[in-house]
Amino acid sequence: MTSESVQPMSGPSRRTVVAAVGAAGLTVALTACGSEDKASDPSTEQGAAGGGATNDGGGSSGGAGAGGAALAKTADIPEGSGKIFKDEKVVVSQPAAGDYKAFSTICTHQKCPMVDLKDDIISCTCHGSQFSVLDGSVKKGPAVQPLEAKQISVNGDSITLA
């Protein structure tokens, strides 16, 4: 008999495994953050270029059927400010008397829903970005893209998401 000692093959140390798992998690998180920002650029640019709301103002029934039920009455939207419709993820504003606009309430920075509206500023509680509800522009970063414009119809005193 020989006195050779049989040593089992050793695998990676616990420290190596923990470091690898942490690095993989960080990579996934950073990739997800990066792809969300890139994915938001085309739609945000289209929303910014596409204008804002339509104000049909008259009695045409074209806008009412397309968007479904009315969001609000025109009297519900304060001039120089707006109103958030949480379920629809939209804010409707009235920059000037009789002029109505609508924007997404999803922050263009990291896609957080926004529900904090004071005067004409809607704020993101995730990272502090602030936007004007009157024109969708960024008032404070880290967001750099404006809010996505949404189409609305105003028929008489009824505002409908188009």
Side-chain angles (χ1 to χ4, degrees):
M1 246 175 138
T2 64
S3 61
E4 284 182 36
S5 61
V6 177
Q7 295 184 4
M9 296 279 283
S10 66
S13 70
R14 182 178 296 182
R15 183 173 291 172
T16 302
V17 171
V18 170
V21 168
L26 182 60
T27 301
V28 168
L30 291 175
T31 301
C33 288
S35 64
E36 284 181 17
D37 286 343
K38 290 176 188 170
S40 69
D41 288 346
S43 65
T44 306
E45 289 172 17
Q46 177 185 9
T54 58
N55 185 351
D56 296 335
S60 85
S61 61
L71 282 176
K73 299 288 184 191
T74 55
D76 296 338
I77 309 301
E79 186 177 341
S81 187
K83 182 175 179 181
I84 294 174
F85 298 91
K86 190 175 178 181
D87 292 341
E88 291 82 4
K89 297 180 179 85
V90 68
V91 60
V92 177
S93 64
Q94 185 178 190
D99 180 28
Y100 298 92
K101 298 195 180 286
F103 300 94
S104 170
T105 57
I106 303 301
C107 181
T108 59
H109 173 241
Q110 291 287 323
K111 307 293 184 212
C112 291
M114 298 183 291
V115 294
D116 184 26
L117 175 63
K118 290 188 178 92
D119 298 320
D120 65 338
I121 300 294
I122 188 168
S123 300
C124 179
T125 57
C126 291
H127 302 105
S129 293
Q130 294 181 339
F131 302 86
S132 168
V133 296
L134 304 180
D135 63 8
S137 65
V138 177
K139 293 299 182 186
K140 179 183 167 203
V144 294
Q145 296 294 323
L147 292 175
E148 177 186 356
K150 296 291 186 177
Q151 295 297 314
I152 56 173
S153 268
V154 179
N155 292 307
D157 69 345
S158 181
I159 301 173
T160 308
L161 196 57

